[in-house]
Amino acid sequence: MTATSKLFVQTLLRGVAQLAFCDRSMAGALILAGLALISPWGAAGALAGAAFGTAMGVFGWVYPREEWERGLAGFNTAIIGILWGGFFADGAFEVSLFVTVMSLCVALEFVLRRGLALVSLPALSMPAMVTAMVVSWALAAPGTWFWIETPSSPLGIPGALLGALCIVAAMAMKCGLAAAWSLCLGSIAYMSVSQEGNGLAYSGLWALTVPLAFFAMQAVFLRESLAGTLGGMIAALSAGIIWLFWTTSGAADIAPPLLAPLALGLWLSIAAMRRIRHALLLQPNFWRAALTMHRARAAGRPIMAVLGGDSAKYALALESLSGGRRGERAKPPAFSHDRLRASLRLRKAFWEVCDRLRASAQEMEAKAQHHALARFEGRGWVRKILSRDVLGTLRKAGAKEVADVHGRIDRIACLDCGFNDGWPPGRIWRRCDLRCPDCSGALIPDTNLFHDAMACEDRLAIERDLADCAVLLVLGAQERDEWSDFILDTVRGIGGHIVFVTDEVSSHLPGSDDMVLAATPEAALPYLDAVSVMLRLMPDGGTLGRWPRWCD
């Protein structure tokens, strides 16, 4: 098997694993085996649907490469595939209709993901649910349901129990405690539904709503935390109430609830948890981060922070190239070093962009996160701050050790020899071509913010700044680009720990060893400082022996 084929198979199995909010290929194989024990035709449909979504995801229309490799592209199509199991069993499978419906699901996922991102909510299973309902309303007679119930396994109840155990085992690979809770909740939900005389296939799907809602919050969105337990209970209760209302209000006569209550319950729980002010202390990742930082400081290894810039200000500056018309941005590749060196017209355009940005910087005041980070640095926790902000806001807040990743908008530099000086007076770049007094090279504002790619010297500078970094605090929602990827990869390459601190949806998928704190930097940093002071006051200096194992 070639490397490409192997990757596709692993991604396909991860797509099946996403049915239970898991992301490992082995978990996908267990879930597929569990589905086969419950309903062989449903398992065949899930595999076919996940294969279609995974194949479509190769083109990157809906998910970026990293998310595709985690199987997210095959999740919703796998759900539609399970619904196709009834047609597989009856021999009524039509390839053209299958492809059309799956394509509709992919298109709806593309639309819903972008729409829900505006309110920072995940699409979950909603694209599949909308697809199932739209297809049924379009193709079935009024008052009927298009989808055929998938037949159960000939093994009956024993097969269903074995299948459920396979799925729970897959979930335990993600989070054992959450899987145990989900098993209890799922058993209660299934018994309450089966007593009403519903068929095994649909009662099994409906009963999955409650445990999966809990598991998603506990194991994924607020991973292995007390806040996750609370959020899981809220999600399970909300999803259960929606499910019961759906089945008792007559809405089930129009369309079965399937997994729609799951998505709605999770959305309600996510919204509720965002309003809990002190959830930070309920996150084990907070205690892990505090302990990791304490150990690094005790060992004399550096802790560093990276803070993003104001992308809205940068976009506004770029509009100056199009006469101030919003939305018409200059393409960053136009500002590469080579093209700037060769074109006076481009250099003057670059001067105009940076001048507008510099004017914004002079009016801009430091925000709460800048003051919090400056105080955190002043307390001796951060050795250096990698700032992606060219506006100098951190220095206004009082930060001292700032490495300007993208340079400084209030300085100018020579393209050839690196000569550096202050900003020239009177906008003289509009009247003449500014040249270096040392080598006669072209002078431009000292920032690489709008360049098309990282230069070799930029990479070397970042590697020097991050040398021996033990902990990197990634503050705020960083925009994903070549720069941020390089910074994170550099820290991971030297064995450092990464702590994401943001209350927004990050464009970076955290690694398995990374820590994520769901809080704003200005809220998290004072707590980290206070807990670290407490650790230093402990008789043994806060060693692991004094702390619960779940902190590590």
Side-chain angles (χ1 to χ4, degrees):
M1 181 182 292
T2 64
T4 302
S5 301
K6 183 178 180 180
L7 176 61
F8 183 86
V9 172
Q10 290 176 338
T11 305
L12 168 62
L13 290 175
R14 292 184 191 123
V16 177
Q18 292 290 344
L19 291 170
F21 295 98
C22 302
D23 56 5
R24 298 177 61 179
S25 55
M26 181 59 70
L30 280 171
I31 291 173
L32 192 61
L35 289 174
L37 288 168
I38 297 172
S39 173
W41 291 111
L47 187 62
F52 184 92
T54 303
M56 292 289 287
V58 171
F59 301 103
W61 295 332
V62 180
Y63 291 97
R65 180 74 176 185
E66 187 175 356
E67 295 183 18
W68 175 82
E69 290 183 0
R70 293 196 177 190
L72 292 176
F75 167 55
N76 276 284
T77 50
I79 295 175
I80 295 297
I82 294 175
L83 296 177
W84 274 98
F87 294 101
F88 289 157
D90 283 0
F93 176 71
E94 295 182 15
V95 176
S96 59
L97 183 59
F98 178 84
V99 171
T100 301
V101 173
M102 290 295 178
S103 300
L104 174 63
C105 182
V106 172
L108 285 173
E109 189 168 9
F110 177 84
V111 173
L112 288 175
R113 267 177 58 87
R114 278 150 183 77
L116 291 168
L118 299 176
V119 289
S120 300
L121 288 175
L124 301 173
S125 60
M126 197 54 73
M129 297 301 96
V130 174
T131 300
M133 294 176 186
V134 168
V135 169
S136 182
W137 292 336
L139 301 180
T144 62
W145 182 241
F146 172 77
W147 303 98
I148 302 174
E149 184 172 340
T150 305
S152 305
S153 168
L155 298 176
I157 297 298
L161 292 176
L162 287 175
L165 288 177
C166 287
I167 296 174
V168 171
M171 296 164 68
M173 296 175 67
K174 180 78 173 180
C175 178
L177 180 61
W181 273 100
S182 299
L183 178 61
C184 296
L185 292 172
S187 300
I188 295 172
Y190 177 73
M191 287 187 292
S192 64
V193 174
S194 60
Q195 289 177 357
E196 297 179 4
N198 295 311
L200 177 62
Y202 275 137
S203 64
L205 262 180
W206 291 341
L208 277 175
T209 293
V210 172
L212 282 182
F214 179 88
F215 184 81
M217 292 299 297
Q218 170 75 348
V220 180
F221 296 112
L222 294 171
R223 183 168 180 170
E224 300 180 21
S225 65
L226 297 179
T229 303
L230 176 60
M233 291 297 184
I234 295 174
L237 181 62
S238 300
I241 291 174
I242 294 171
W243 172 60
L244 290 173
F245 176 78
W246 196 308
T247 55
T248 57
S249 65
D253 296 334
I254 302 173
L258 301 179
L259 295 179
L262 170 63
L264 296 173
L266 285 172
W267 288 345
L268 289 173
S269 178
I270 291 171
M273 294 307 294
R274 286 176 181 164
R275 301 187 67 85
I276 296 179
R277 299 299 184 186
H278 301 289
L280 178 65
L281 298 180
L282 301 178
Q283 302 176 37
N285 273 339
F286 169 81
W287 301 98
R288 287 181 58 205
L291 190 58
T292 302
M293 292 171 59
H294 171 73
R295 288 171 172 169
R297 188 174 185 180
R301 296 189 62 194
I303 300 171
M304 301 189 185
V306 58
L307 184 67
D310 192 334
S311 58
K313 291 285 186 184
Y314 306 153
L316 188 65
L318 280 171
E319 289 169 16
S320 64
L321 290 186
S322 57
R325 293 187 296 274
R326 186 171 297 274
E328 297 184 19
R329 298 184 181 182
K331 295 182 179 179
F335 294 134
S336 66
H337 267 177
D338 291 339
R339 298 190 66 180
L340 283 169
R341 187 178 287 110
S343 172
L344 174 60
R345 181 184 62 82
L346 281 178
R347 287 199 298 275
K348 288 191 174 182
F350 189 59
W351 275 101
E352 293 296 335
V353 170
C354 294
D355 182 55
R356 183 166 184 173
L357 196 56
R358 190 178 70 94
S360 299
Q362 293 174 342
E363 301 171 358
M364 191 171 185
E365 298 294 332
K367 298 179 181 178
Q369 63 178 0
H370 301 116
H371 289 292
L373 182 54
R375 287 193 295 269
F376 201 62
E377 181 208 25
R379 298 276 291 173
W381 281 106
V382 177
R383 181 176 299 182
K384 183 173 288 187
I385 302 171
L386 275 68
S387 174
R388 301 194 62 191
D389 179 16
V390 300
L391 304 179
T393 318
L394 267 172
R395 288 186 173 83
K396 291 182 180 179
K400 304 298 183 184
E401 295 298 323
V402 180
D404 298 293
V405 175
H406 294 299
R408 292 178 57 177
I409 202 65
D410 59 343
R411 307 286 297 177
I412 63 173
C414 175
L415 284 171
D416 294 330
C417 71
F419 167 82
N420 197 280
D421 201 359
W423 193 268
R427 296 178 175 174
I428 60 174
W429 64 85
R430 292 181 176 177
R431 301 189 296 273
C432 63
D433 183 18
L434 295 181
R435 290 287 171 171
C436 174
D438 293 343
C439 70
S440 298
L443 291 175
I444 62 169
D446 186 19
T447 177
N448 54 29
L449 181 65
F450 304 114
H451 294 177
D452 55 338
M454 294 180 67
C456 180
E457 55 268 25
D458 295 327
R459 294 176 181 270
L460 292 175
I462 290 175
E463 288 176 344
R464 286 195 302 269
D465 291 332
L466 292 174
D468 198 34
C469 176
V471 182
L472 179 69
L473 299 174
V474 182
L475 305 176
Q478 299 283 327
E479 293 187 10
R480 184 171 184 180
D481 55 16
E482 184 181 10
W483 297 86
S484 58
D485 284 343
F486 182 77
I487 291 171
L488 297 182
D489 291 343
T490 300
V491 174
R492 292 183 180 121
I494 62 176
H497 299 274
I498 297 177
V499 181
F500 292 89
V501 183
T502 178
D503 62 341
E504 302 177 36
V505 177
S506 175
S507 57
H508 289 276
L509 284 176
S512 57
D513 295 328
D514 298 341
M515 291 162 272
V516 180
L517 305 186
T520 60
E522 57 268 28
L525 293 180
Y527 279 105
L528 285 171
D529 182 35
V531 170
S532 300
V533 170
M534 181 184 68
L535 282 170
R536 292 202 303 272
L537 295 176
M538 292 177 62
D540 61 352
T543 58
L544 183 60
R546 294 276 182 160
W547 285 83
R549 294 299 303 174
W550 53 262
C551 288
D552 196 37

